[in-house]
Amino acid sequence: MKSTLRLLLPALALAATLTACGDDGTDAQPAAPATTTATTAAATSAAPSPSAAGGTLTVATTALGKVLADGQGYVLYLFDKDTATTSACVDQCAVNWPPVAAPVTAAAGVTLPGAITAVTRPDGSSQAAYDGHPLYRWIRDTAPGQTTGEGVQGVWHVIKVP
């Protein structure tokens, strides 16, 4: 009995952490990964780091169309609760949706119609923003081009580009 309980405790702790995240979009189950290809990024099989690094922005072709991605081909997201100058995703939310560190630029040969800027996060760090939206990765996207964060709790969205 003790060994069974010892095995269940870590799983219960994880479930409690995800449930405690409330409306930051972390307790909803995302859709199944879409089959995609990154158009201008080296595809790697490694999952994104806990804090998404800045660098370059590119475009990935996905089942949802062309979307903004980082230089490794991981799809980037916006959070409806943010403003053009403020990130509302903090604490556990920022663990599950790592902010993209600023500065970033468009990758060579990539033309983006929106402005690339930065916002100052509540902790004082600088976060990349595109077209008035602070940028994030989703920790459940485990390969470049996946869009499993699209629509999570109705407040997380890929950023479509022409």
Side-chain angles (χ1 to χ4, degrees):
M1 178 70 165
K2 283 185 179 180
S3 63
T4 302
L5 185 57
R6 221 176 324 165
L7 292 173
L8 288 175
L9 286 177
L12 291 173
L14 176 62
T17 299
L18 292 177
T19 302
C21 296
D23 64 356
D24 63 13
T26 57
D27 60 341
Q29 292 297 318
T35 303
T36 61
T37 57
T39 58
T40 55
T44 63
S45 60
S49 65
S51 62
T56 59
L57 299 180
T58 189
V59 176
T61 301
T62 72
L64 300 174
K66 291 184 178 187
V67 299
L68 193 65
D70 68 10
Q72 296 177 326
Y74 286 92
V75 171
L76 300 177
Y77 296 87
L78 64 84
F79 184 37
D80 285 344
K81 296 182 181 189
D82 288 344
T83 70
T85 59
T86 307
S87 170
C89 181
V90 297
D91 301 325
Q92 187 62 41
C93 175
V95 171
N96 294 312
W97 298 90
V100 176
V104 296
T105 59
V110 175
T111 302
L112 298 172
I116 300 170
T117 59
V119 299
T120 301
R121 294 186 51 74
D123 66 4
S125 64
S126 187
Q127 180 176 358
Y130 174 74
D131 208 19
H133 301 285
L135 301 175
Y136 304 88
R137 279 190 179 176
W138 170 229
I139 64 169
R140 292 188 185 172
D141 282 348
T142 59
Q146 288 183 338
T147 58
T148 65
E150 171 60 29
V152 170
Q153 286 197 342
V155 294
W156 291 97
H157 308 284
V158 299
I159 302 164
K160 294 188 177 184
V161 293

